[in-house]
Amino acid sequence: MSRVENTAENRAESSPTADTARHLMFDDLEKLGRILVQTGDMAHSFIQSADDMDVTCRDFSAFDPSRALPRQGRGTLDALRAVQDDILPLLAASIGPRYLGFVTGGTTPAALVGDWLASAIDQNATGPEGSVNAAVEEQVINWLCEIANLPANRFDGVLTTGATVSNLLGLVAGRQWCGEKVGVDIDADGAGALPDLQLFAASPHASMIKDMSIAGIGRNNFTKIVTLPGSEQTDIDDLKAKLDASDARGKIVIASAGTVNATDFDDLNAIADLCATYGAWLHVDAAFGMFAALDDRRAHLLAGLERADSITSDGHKWLNVPYDCGIFLTRHIGVLEKCCRAFAPYLETRADGNMYINRGVENSRRFRALPLWVSMQAYGRDGFAGIVRANCDQAADLAAWVKSHDKLELMRDPKLNVTMFTGVGSDDDNRALLDRINASGKLFLTPTIYGGRFGFRAAFSNWRTRDHDLVIIKQAIDFVL
C-alpha cells in the first residue's frame, strides 16, 4: 500500500462521522419539500398564536446553554422537533400586537416571504456581478426616498444591519467630509489628523453614543446642547451659541426626527441653516420618525429633512420587515464610498451597478433588500401609511385613557406612536408596577426616565395591533393596579 493510500485510509478511519454528517445533508435535500412544509406549519402556528400567548417569557431555566454539542446529528426533522420542544415555548411574542417595548415592528406576510426567499437563494449582496441583487437594493433605496419625500437624484445610500451601523456611517462620512474641507484625509491618515473635530447633540440615541466609542471619538466627547423646556427637542439658540463659540475645524451636528421617548422632532430647517453658516455636517437620526412622512397629519414634522447630509432610519421598525434591516441615506455618496471601499483582486468587476460592499461595514451582506422589495410591492405606499396612521391613533387613544385614570399619570402627550406614562406612586412603586404589568403576559412595556421620573413606554409599531388589543392592554393594567 502506498504512503498516500495509507494516509487516506487512516484519515477515513479517524473521522468516520464526517461522511455520515455529509450524507445527512444530502438526505435532507431529498426530503426538503417535507422539511419546508413542516417548517412552514411550525412558523404558521407560532404566528397565529402570537395574539394569545404570553407576550414575553420570564423563565428560561428549562433551557440549558451549557449542554454539549452533539457529536452526531440526526437531520433537520429531528432538529425541528428540538426547536418545537426546547425553544419555541420560551420565546417572546414580539411579532404580536401587544409587544410595546423598544420600537419593535412585527413581520408582515409579504416581508416574511421575502425574508425566507432571501435565505433560500442566499445571495451575497455585495454588488452587481452576476446577480440582480444590487439593482433591487437600488430600487428599494429609491422607493424609500420617495416615501420620505426626499429627492432620489440627490440622495443615495445602503441597507445596513440597523440604526447603530447607519449612525456609525453618518459619523464616519461626516468626519471624512469635515477633514476634506480643511485638506485632511482621515480615511488615509486616521482620526488623529483632525483632533479638533467637535460633535453637537441635544438628545442623541444610545446607539449614537455607542458609535462615538466605536469611531474613536469617545462616548463623552460631544458638546451637549440644551433641550427646550419639557421636551427632547434641540434649543436652536443654544446650538447657535455653541457653534459660534467653537473654533474646531470640523463640526458635526446630530439632530433627531422622532426621539425615542417623547418622539420629538427637531426644527431641521433651522438647524440646517446653522450648519450651512458654520460649515457643519448635519446628521439626522430618523430611525422610525422618517416614516411620519406617510401620515399627512404629521408629515410637516419632517420639514427640512431633505437638507440633511446623512439620515439614519430602520426597516425593522415601522416598515415591519424582519430583523435586521437598517437604512442609511446621504447626499455625499462619494464620501461614504471612500470611507468604506474594499480592495482585493477578487472583488474587481466590470458589471454596471452599485458596489454596496463599498458603502457599509460588512463585506459579506445578506440580501436584506428582498423582504423590503416584496413588502413594498405587495402593499404599496398606502399600506405602510395605514400602519403609521393606526399606530399613532393607538398611542393617542392610550394617552387619553391614562389622562382619565385616577391611578396613572401621562408624562407627555404623544406626538407620534409612543405613549409615556407612570403611576401616581414613587419610582420604586412604579418599578414594581411595571414588573406586575409585564408579568401579566398580556402586554410588554419598557421602562424610561423622563423629566427625572421613572415611567413606562408603550411604543405602537406593529401592523397587527387593533382596537381590541387596546381593550386588553387597558384591562391588564387596571387588573394589576
Side-chain angles (χ1 to χ4, degrees):
M1 180 180 293
S2 71
R3 182 178 179 183
V4 172
E5 290 170 337
N6 186 52
T7 301
E9 180 181 275
N10 290 340
R11 186 164 58 243
E13 290 176 355
S14 63
S15 56
T17 62
D19 286 343
T20 302
R22 189 163 176 265
H23 172 73
L24 279 173
M25 296 172 194
F26 283 107
D27 187 47
D28 278 348
L29 185 60
E30 292 180 5
K31 299 175 182 175
L32 188 58
R34 179 183 169 194
I35 290 169
L36 292 179
V37 167
Q38 289 199 20
T39 303
D41 288 345
M42 188 183 299
H44 181 255
S45 176
F46 185 85
I47 291 167
Q48 293 298 95
S49 65
D51 281 356
D52 301 315
M53 64 190 288
D54 281 358
V55 177
T56 59
C57 176
R58 301 172 71 83
D59 180 7
F60 315 113
S61 58
F63 188 87
D64 179 10
S66 65
R67 185 173 60 186
L69 173 70
R71 176 67 183 265
Q72 288 185 293
R74 299 182 185 178
T76 301
L77 290 174
D78 182 77
L80 276 174
R81 285 188 288 272
V83 170
Q84 181 75 57
D85 295 340
D86 299 344
I87 295 178
L88 291 187
L90 306 179
L91 294 177
S94 55
I95 60 167
R98 297 187 302 280
Y99 188 95
L100 307 180
F102 313 104
V103 186
T104 303
T107 299
T108 62
L112 175 62
V113 167
D115 195 65
W116 280 11
L117 285 173
S119 293
I121 59 182
D122 196 24
Q123 304 289 285
N124 186 2
T126 57
E129 185 67 52
S131 171
V132 75
N133 68 79
V136 173
E137 186 158 348
E138 180 179 358
Q139 186 170 64
V140 163
I141 289 168
N142 287 337
W143 286 349
L144 289 167
C145 288
E146 184 179 335
I147 283 175
N149 300 318
L150 298 170
N153 62 341
R154 292 176 58 199
F155 280 86
D156 206 341
V158 63
L159 299 178
T160 69
T161 57
T164 303
V165 169
S166 293
N167 279 335
L168 178 64
L169 295 181
L171 287 183
V172 169
R175 182 170 61 182
Q176 178 69 18
W177 179 85
C178 288
E180 290 179 358
K181 286 187 62 181
V182 295
V184 169
D185 187 353
I186 294 171
D187 172 70
D189 300 324
L194 190 65
D196 54 341
L197 177 73
Q198 190 170 1
L199 272 64
F200 303 81
S203 300
H205 188 265
S207 64
M208 181 61 79
I209 302 298
K210 178 178 181 177
D211 288 334
M212 291 177 190
S213 172
I214 294 170
I217 294 168
R219 292 176 182 267
N220 301 323
N221 196 22
F222 73 97
T223 300
K224 181 72 170 68
I225 305 301
V226 170
T227 54
L228 294 175
S231 93
E232 294 174 330
Q233 190 176 15
T234 298
D235 184 319
I236 300 299
D237 291 338
D238 189 56
L239 175 60
K240 181 181 185 305
K242 286 172 178 171
L243 283 168
D244 195 51
S246 172
D247 58 1
R249 291 178 299 163
K251 303 179 183 70
I252 296 175
V253 175
I254 301 163
S256 298
T259 56
V260 74
N261 278 327
T263 59
D264 279 324
F265 287 73
D266 283 330
D267 184 340
L268 298 179
N269 272 317
I271 294 176
D273 287 343
L274 289 176
C275 287
T277 298
Y278 291 96
W281 174 280
L282 173 56
H283 176 75
V284 177
D285 188 337
F288 59 98
M290 187 171 86
F291 301 109
L294 289 165
D295 185 346
D296 54 10
R297 303 166 300 179
R298 294 173 170 84
H300 66 279
L301 296 171
L302 290 157
L305 182 64
E306 74 283 354
R307 299 177 64 187
D309 293 291
S310 56
I311 302 167
T312 282
S313 195
D314 265 334
H316 53 233
K317 291 184 172 70
W318 239 343
L319 294 189
N320 280 245
V321 298
Y323 286 98
D324 53 26
C325 182
I327 299 160
F328 180 73
L329 303 172
T330 181
R331 291 192 290 118
H332 307 274
I333 198 66
V335 175
L336 178 67
E337 289 180 336
K338 183 172 185 180
C339 296
C340 297
R341 67 198 187 281
F343 296 112
Y346 73 94
L347 297 174
E348 291 183 8
T349 179
R350 295 184 180 181
D352 291 332
N354 296 327
M355 284 293 290
Y356 288 101
I357 190 176
N358 294 333
R359 294 187 176 186
V361 175
E362 306 91 355
N363 276 14
S364 301
R365 305 178 68 248
R366 177 175 171 77
F367 191 12
R368 60 177 58 90
L370 190 57
L372 271 172
W373 191 93
V374 175
S375 198
M376 289 172 152
Q377 185 76 17
Y379 307 125
R381 183 186 182 98
D382 288 350
F384 293 112
I387 300 173
V388 171
R389 290 181 64 91
N391 288 160
C392 290
D393 289 346
Q394 289 153 1
D397 182 290
L398 182 61
W401 178 75
V402 168
K403 277 184 176 179
S404 68
H405 205 291
D406 60 358
K407 295 184 179 180
L408 298 172
E409 294 181 20
L410 187 67
M411 303 180 82
R412 174 71 186 274
D413 283 317
K415 290 187 176 180
L416 210 58
N417 63 325
V418 177
T419 304
M420 287 193 302
F421 64 104
T422 191
V424 296
S426 68
D427 282 358
D428 286 343
D429 291 335
N430 287 318
R431 287 187 174 90
L433 174 57
L434 179 60
D435 285 342
R436 293 199 301 274
I437 290 171
N438 288 338
S440 73
K442 298 298 184 182
L443 72 157
F444 176 69
L445 306 175
T446 40
T448 190
I449 300 292
Y450 187 77
R453 298 181 63 196
F454 179 87
F456 326 134
R457 289 177 67 261
F460 293 87
S461 312
N462 193 299
W463 68 277
R464 292 175 64 166
T465 308
R466 292 182 284 184
D467 290 346
H468 75 267
D469 292 300
L470 280 167
V471 174
I472 296 171
I473 289 165
K474 294 169 188 176
Q475 290 175 342
I477 295 171
D478 256 338
F479 184 78
V480 299
L481 279 170

